[in-house]
Amino acid sequence: MEYRPVGRSGLRVSAIGLGSWLTYGRRVGERSSFACLSKALELGINFFDTANVYAGGEAEMVLGRWLPRAERSDIVIATKVYFPVGDGPNDRGLSRKHIIEQCEASLRRLQVDYIDLYQCHRFDQSVPLEETLRALDDLIAQGKVLYAGVSEWSGAQIAEAVGMQKALGLRPLISNQPQYSLLARAIEDDVLPVSREHGLGQVVWSPLAGGVLTGKYHPGAQAPVGSRGADAESNMFMDRLLVDEVLAAVQRLDREVASELGVSVGDLSLAWLLHQPGIASAIVGATTVSQIEENAAAASIALDAQTLTRVEEVMDPFRRQNQP
């Protein structure tokens, strides 16, 4: 497994990370969740991403119950704060009150003394940015958080935050967690250049576009039973992708590029992403041990310039039109 620095920080994470958005604490039982987490660690994955709202907090709790099986120093735990956790007026957002309270709640669910990477799950227009940044800085000063990052912030929002941190003498953000894949590339025009300028690394979610880039979905066919695409509750963000034109392009990528390399189209898609500048980790979701084994293998696939060009040629028609 390759380990990459997150932005300009000294934190190093596995090129493939394991997430828990729609899996652990929800669709996957605890025994299977533990098997997936243990296999990930065995394969060298050290970056485990979750959030306080995933499965109503249960995703963090599953991870917390598994953690005694590992050395804490071997694990990089990332979690997030922003979305509502209750009906009260202060049960959401990036106010100092909500950030501090939810950090404490995540520490309890995870059963740890500190969080390696604490991320603002979205930007909060209703709270002064200085309040948010000072709360994060205080958590780092207290040792409850080691590094701070953001998720799905625009380039302008990142630049404003970095400028304010410098002006106030606060510890810098080290990461952004955007959606990024061959079928979702909006960050290339704005977020990636700004992040490079200010030293933020990308720990990206949905690198396989909800499974579309694995080739499991076929033009003119129903989504396979049990797949995310067949689950109305889980297939958010996928309507724009489960169309024949996109699915045909993925099949072409599999047939014309991946098969010649002797790899799956999913591994090719992950390898392409890991060849893009500024990417620290691609966070995959997995419900089985075999999925983790396949995804982890993608980190070792080297692609030459000619192959990268061929991938671009096949997928370029969807570079702009299929944005979230």
Side-chain angles (χ1 to χ4, degrees):
M1 179 58 64
E2 177 189 4
Y3 299 94
R4 300 179 171 193
V6 182
R8 292 179 190 154
S9 77
L11 181 66
R12 302 184 75 85
V13 297
S14 48
I16 299 296
L18 183 60
S20 57
W21 174 28
L22 296 171
T23 52
Y24 312 131
R26 186 179 180 184
R27 294 174 58 196
V28 184
E30 186 153 309
R31 183 175 180 179
S32 295
S33 297
F34 282 13
C36 288
L37 291 162
S38 294
K39 175 56 69 172
L41 187 61
E42 177 188 327
L43 294 172
I45 292 174
N46 75 341
F47 185 48
F48 296 87
D49 179 77
T50 187
N52 62 337
V53 293
Y54 291 172
E58 185 61 28
E60 287 184 330
M61 295 174 71
V62 169
L63 181 56
R65 291 192 290 269
W66 170 81
L67 278 172
R69 291 163 170 77
E71 290 291 334
R72 176 67 182 91
S73 60
D74 292 340
I75 304 295
V76 177
I77 298 173
T79 192
K80 311 181 196 71
V81 58
Y82 170 81
F83 286 110
V85 294
D87 297 327
N90 292 303
D91 289 339
R92 67 198 68 204
L94 297 180
S95 68
R96 179 180 182 83
K97 177 177 174 62
H98 190 60
I99 288 173
I100 300 299
E101 290 178 348
Q102 284 307 299
C103 180
E104 296 288 353
S106 288
L107 289 170
R108 289 193 299 271
R109 286 189 290 264
L110 290 163
Q111 301 181 53
V112 294
D113 297 323
Y114 64 91
I115 293 163
D116 296 279
L117 178 60
Y118 200 43
Q119 304 160 103
C120 297
H121 212 157
R122 293 294 187 274
F123 189 82
D124 191 344
Q125 301 279 2
S126 69
V127 174
L129 182 58
E130 181 177 345
E131 178 178 339
T132 296
L133 297 177
R134 285 193 181 277
L136 294 173
D137 194 72
D138 286 346
L139 287 171
I140 296 175
Q142 294 165 15
K144 295 177 180 179
V145 167
L146 302 188
Y147 301 92
V150 298
S151 177
E152 291 292 348
W153 284 28
S154 70
Q157 290 163 347
I158 290 171
E160 182 184 3
V162 171
M164 185 174 292
Q165 286 176 318
K166 289 180 179 179
L168 296 173
L170 305 178
R171 296 164 182 83
L173 300 170
I174 70 163
S175 66
N176 177 52
Q177 185 174 137
Q179 182 180 13
Y180 189 40
S181 72
L182 275 168
L183 291 171
R185 300 177 62 176
I187 66 170
E188 293 177 345
D189 293 335
D190 174 33
V191 172
L192 286 182
V194 171
S195 295
R196 284 195 295 269
E197 178 183 355
H198 295 295
L200 278 73
Q202 310 298 311
V203 290
V204 306
W205 63 275
S206 200
L208 292 174
V212 173
L213 288 168
T214 66
K216 72 173 70 174
Y217 302 101
H218 295 267
Q222 294 289 324
V225 175
S227 69
R228 182 177 162 191
D231 183 350
E233 187 179 359
S234 300
N235 68 4
M236 60 185 75
F237 308 117
M238 293 182 67
D239 286 349
R240 63 191 174 82
L241 301 177
L242 294 175
V243 296
D244 285 353
E245 185 182 16
V246 172
L247 300 182
V250 175
Q251 295 299 314
R252 181 186 168 199
L253 186 67
D254 189 6
R255 184 174 61 253
E256 297 182 7
V257 185
S259 62
E260 290 187 12
L261 295 174
V263 301
S264 70
V265 68
D267 282 357
L268 174 63
S269 299
L270 285 173
W272 171 88
L273 191 151
L274 293 174
H275 279 70
Q276 305 310 302
I279 307 302
S281 188
I283 302 168
V284 300
T287 59
T288 65
V289 165
S290 61
Q291 288 175 333
I292 293 173
E293 291 174 330
E294 181 175 1
N295 292 161
S300 62
I301 298 174
L303 302 179
D304 58 26
Q306 181 180 6
T307 301
L308 291 169
T309 298
R310 292 176 67 196
V311 171
E312 296 281 355
E313 289 173 349
V314 174
M315 303 306 295
D316 190 66
F318 311 104
R319 185 169 185 162
R320 295 288 171 258
Q321 71 187 59
N322 286 303
Q323 302 306 333

